[in-house]
Amino acid sequence: SPIDKAKFVAAKRAVDYVEDGMKVGLGTGSTAAWMVKCLGERIRDDGLRITGVATSTRTAELAQKVGVPVVSLDEAKWLDLTIDGADEYDHNLNLIKGGGGALLMEKIVATASDELIVIADLSKQVEALGAFPLPVEVIPFGWQTTKALVEETLVNLDVLGRTSALRMNGATPYVTDEGNFILDLHLKRIGNPRQLALVMNQIPGVVENGLFIDICDVVVIGHGDGSVEVRD
Ligand code: DER
């Protein structure tokens, strides 16, 4: 499909930034999966030598499968580059991430990197963040209280919508790799993403949110016709 082609060409172009000897953060999601596969090919075909740090167990499993060596973040300590997808990016390269449920490890790994390259198709580009529900990771203890506090906090902030929903996995709550729950916030439009990102993480019970502010350095945009655009 054109979207799949767009994701693939963005992923392939981003892998050009990877140099021998680098420590690379491996993102999560369908676009990042293409990137991991392309890395595996360069390791096999060009003898590229890199060390990967995964942002989810499913990315770690894929990396294993395609021959990308993976170590823990503690072992790597600091990374040269992280390549990851996004659910939305705006003109300031601020992001909403977490559609794939990996936002906590993704933000830790991205922040532990000299550079974050986001790979995306054009459908992720927005004038303002917030059409995509904002994922907020919360600990399971007292999550309904946390949810109420989150919604109460939204009343005083520059957002259009104010409802949140517990992310489910069938009939039970979705559980992240770190054993937490996710609330998806239906905000429609976020007027001040920087403020919202700061306020969200002050609420007791909230572990992390999917707003990536001043973290992304480059967005590589793939198109269905195979062309690629780099924005930094
Ligand atoms: O969950 C995430 O943050 C993923 O990167 C997600 O936002 C992008 O997933 P996709 O590449 O499958 O659209």
Side-chain angles (χ1 to χ4, degrees):
S1 74
I3 289 273
D4 227 24
K5 173 107 170 119
K7 291 182 175 184
F8 173 75
V9 294
K12 192 155 180 57
R13 174 68 183 79
V15 167
D16 292 346
Y17 286 87
V18 179
E19 292 164 15
D20 224 31
M22 275 191 170
K23 291 183 277 185
V24 183
L26 308 173
T28 296
S30 60
T31 314
W34 282 121
M35 178 274 300
V36 173
K37 289 171 191 160
C38 290
L39 270 182
E41 269 172 34
R42 278 198 57 195
I43 290 170
R44 193 189 59 231
D45 300 347
D46 311 345
L48 179 73
R49 284 174 309 109
I50 58 140
T51 305
V53 172
T55 55
S56 63
T57 47
R58 61 185 187 277
T59 291
E61 284 158 10
L62 175 61
Q64 191 83 31
K65 195 170 127 215
V66 301
V68 176
V70 168
V71 297
S72 69
L73 178 58
D74 289 331
E75 199 174 331
K77 291 189 178 45
W78 195 261
L79 306 177
D80 300 289
L81 175 67
T82 287
I83 306 174
D84 201 348
D87 295 297
E88 288 182 340
Y89 64 88
D90 70 10
H91 56 283
N92 293 316
L93 304 192
N94 288 325
L95 317 170
I96 284 186
K97 282 178 61 54
L103 67 126
L104 176 57
M105 289 167 68
E106 288 175 330
K107 197 183 275 191
I108 294 168
V109 169
T111 309
S113 307
D114 287 336
E115 195 174 24
L116 171 63
I117 298 177
V118 159
I119 49 181
D121 57 278
L122 203 54
S123 72
K124 310 297 183 63
Q125 184 167 307
V126 295
E127 185 269 325
L129 296 174
F132 188 92
L134 175 63
V136 174
E137 185 151 342
V138 301
I139 64 162
F141 173 81
W143 70 268
Q144 298 193 64
T145 304
T146 305
K147 181 175 184 297
L149 285 172
V150 164
E151 292 187 353
E152 197 179 286
T153 303
L154 294 174
V155 171
N156 305 320
L157 295 175
D158 183 7
V159 294
L160 285 183
R162 290 180 168 69
T163 59
S164 69
L166 177 69
R167 187 179 296 188
M168 301 299 283
N169 179 13
T172 57
Y174 177 88
V175 178
T176 68
D177 281 345
E178 298 303 307
N180 298 317
F181 289 169
I182 290 181
L183 300 176
D184 288 304
L185 274 53
H186 299 273
L187 305 175
K188 298 192 182 119
R189 179 189 175 90
I190 301 169
N192 186 337
R194 188 181 308 275
Q195 174 200 42
L196 180 61
L198 290 171
V199 169
M200 262 305 118
N201 284 6
Q202 302 311 311
I203 300 170
V206 171
V207 175
E208 191 50 86
N209 68 82
L211 284 167
F212 283 48
I213 306 296
D214 295 338
I215 298 180
C216 175
D217 301 286
V218 179
V219 176
V220 176
I221 306 160
H223 297 273
D225 65 2
S227 66
V228 174
E229 198 188 326
V230 176
R231 201 162 298 168
D232 50 21

